[in-house]
Amino acid sequence: QKEVEQDPGPLSVPEGAIVSLNCTYSNSAFQYFMWYRQYSRKGPELLMYTYSSGNKEDGRFTAQVDKSSKYISLFIRDSQPSDSATYLCAMGNAGGTSYGKLTFGQGTILTVHP
Amino acid sequence: EPEVTQTPSHQVTQMGQEVILRCVPISNHLYFYWYRQILGQKVEFLVSFYNNEISEKSEIFDDQFSVERPDGSNFTLKIRSTKLEDSAMYFCASSEVAGGLSAEQFFGPGTRLTVL
């Protein structure tokens, strides 16, 4: 079983739709979670960072973490064509022998069409 | 807004040659990282660096790789003898801390390494 699983898509939605992106993970040591947006051949851009279970909202983005189910989600409301990109989930654990290593999902390709 | 910068944006080299990829992390960050992404594949961790030492490295980071912070601002990744399979995007990242409430990692734009 992969440590982090993410549906690669591609996902195509109309402008204005609510988008749901998900990752599951197997390593219960993961404590913090990030969502990145990556445009083609560019660096990952940090969208959301969460450290605990529950929801975190920032503008049109909501990150959700359910540690008991080992499941995280990113919701995008009122999606725009400029949201078209690859969305990466990443997670890490603190302490012990870990010093910030992030484990990434495969990435979900999202297209928002006008 | 502070950002991580990387140079060069694209590096072409011959197999067996040495390359040095350069990064300038965000100035108040203390933890530095290198990741790579082979075309079409996931982003993979290579190494983390703190207090002038390697903190953690992956199995990819073998003896051909080394990292250095030669001065107060630069952070470099050296590949001693490049192989075809080293062709990838290499990303530098930095964070204030390695875990906990402020562990956000900010990535640079990447260096595309092409080994011929």
Side-chain angles (χ1 to χ4, degrees):
Chain A
Q1 184 183 11
K2 291 181 185 175
E3 264 196 307
V4 179
E5 301 232 32
Q6 183 176 8
D7 186 342
L11 186 61
S12 180
V13 301
E15 185 174 354
I18 296 174
V19 176
S20 171
L21 305 164
N22 312 294
C23 287
T24 58
Y25 61 96
S26 58
N27 187 349
S28 57
F30 288 140
Q31 296 179 351
Y32 54 93
F33 308 88
M34 302 184 208
W35 284 96
Y36 289 88
R37 176 172 62 195
Q38 186 177 31
Y39 295 110
S40 182
R41 298 199 174 226
K42 302 291 184 188
E45 174 194 3
L46 182 64
L47 290 175
M48 299 289 282
Y49 172 78
T50 50
Y51 185 65
S52 57
S53 283
N55 292 356
K56 181 179 179 180
E57 191 174 314
D58 184 1
R60 296 186 295 112
F61 298 94
T62 299
Q64 197 173 76
V65 173
D66 182 348
K67 288 186 179 178
S68 61
S69 301
K70 298 191 182 70
Y71 186 90
I72 67 170
S73 299
L74 177 71
F75 298 96
I76 307 174
R77 287 183 299 283
D78 187 25
S79 55
Q80 303 295 310
S82 57
D83 294 328
S84 299
T86 299
Y87 288 79
L88 312 174
C89 65
M91 41 200 83
N93 53 306
T97 57
S98 176
Y99 294 89
K101 169 189 171 183
L102 290 180
T103 301
F104 281 80
Q106 181 70 26
T108 300
I109 300 170
L110 171 69
T111 302
V112 181
H113 51 88
Chain B
E1 187 170 322
E3 59 182 13
V4 177
T5 59
Q6 290 184 245
T7 54
S9 57
H10 189 196
Q11 174 89 50
V12 181
T13 190
Q14 295 290 327
M15 192 169 55
Q17 295 296 304
E18 174 184 287
V19 294
I20 297 176
L21 311 183
R22 291 181 166 80
C23 167
V24 179
I26 293 172
S27 61
N28 65 329
H29 285 184
L30 300 177
Y31 291 82
F32 315 117
Y33 313 88
W34 285 101
Y35 293 83
R36 79 170 186 191
Q37 187 176 32
I38 295 170
L39 189 63
Q41 297 187 24
K42 61 170 64 178
V43 176
E44 301 173 288
F45 170 79
L46 292 178
V47 66
S48 60
F49 190 86
Y50 169 72
N51 199 26
N52 282 318
E53 287 185 347
I54 290 175
S55 306
E56 187 176 7
K57 59 184 180 178
S58 71
E59 59 276 7
I60 302 167
F61 194 89
D62 61 22
D63 292 344
Q64 293 301 311
F65 291 88
S66 62
V67 289
E68 193 178 33
R69 188 152 163 84
D71 53 43
S73 58
N74 290 283
F75 179 50
T76 62
L77 174 70
K78 182 194 290 187
I79 309 175
R80 259 180 277 282
S81 178
T82 49
K83 307 183 190 69
L84 295 176
E85 55 265 36
D86 294 328
S87 295
M89 284 287 282
Y90 288 81
F91 296 110
C92 173
S94 69
S95 65
E96 284 185 60
V97 298
L101 293 176
S102 299
E104 296 98 320
Q105 288 187 26
F106 296 90
F107 281 69
T111 292
R112 183 152 62 103
L113 177 65
T114 302
V115 182
L116 303 175

